[in-house]
Amino acid sequence: MKTFHFSVKTPVDTILDVEAKEVRIDTETGRMCIFHDHAALTGSVIFSKMVVVFENTTEEFFVKNGILFVDHNENAVHLLCLSCEEVSEVTLTTVEEYIKIIKKQMENKEY
């Protein structure tokens, strides 16, 4: 399967910098599944579970407050976000924060 360069950066660290086969993430315009040679686009991520498939691994993350850039010419995807945590490392405090975000989105009908 063909790959593309995928990076995830927060203000504190580079979370991922891999050759990915697939990325699944929710943007404000809807759910996306990104593969090699994807069309160019820019999307906004308020809160999303993200699935990244690379090598023989599938990893899941929670992403908050991000901008997603798909560069068709470079076959690269970049996610710049406020926070990105592996699902397995999420704490009770983090879950409570995410619940507040989801409740606010539902109240504002932003789903």
Side-chain angles (χ1 to χ4, degrees), residues 29-111:
T29 57
R31 184 159 291 158
M32 296 181 59
C33 192
I34 303 167
F35 294 99
H36 166 78
D37 209 26
H38 195 283
L41 68 84
T42 301
S44 176
V45 178
I46 294 174
F47 169 74
S48 175
K49 182 177 180 182
M50 176 178 69
V51 177
V52 182
V53 179
F54 61 99
E55 297 170 356
N56 294 323
T57 304
T58 299
E59 292 190 9
E60 297 179 335
F61 300 85
F62 285 121
V63 176
K64 185 167 66 171
N65 298 359
I67 300 292
L68 181 75
F69 300 98
V70 178
D71 185 338
H72 177 78
N73 294 329
E74 297 291 326
N75 193 36
V77 179
H78 306 285
L79 177 62
L80 306 175
C81 56
L82 182 62
S83 70
C84 179
E85 296 182 65
E86 283 191 64
V87 170
S88 62
E89 295 181 6
V90 172
T91 64
L92 180 59
T93 303
T94 306
V95 171
E96 289 171 344
E97 289 176 15
Y98 292 147
I99 289 171
K100 288 178 188 176
I101 292 169
I102 292 168
K103 281 183 179 179
K104 183 178 177 185
Q105 287 178 332
M106 291 176 69
E107 288 170 1
N108 296 332
K109 298 185 184 199
E110 297 174 353
Y111 45 87

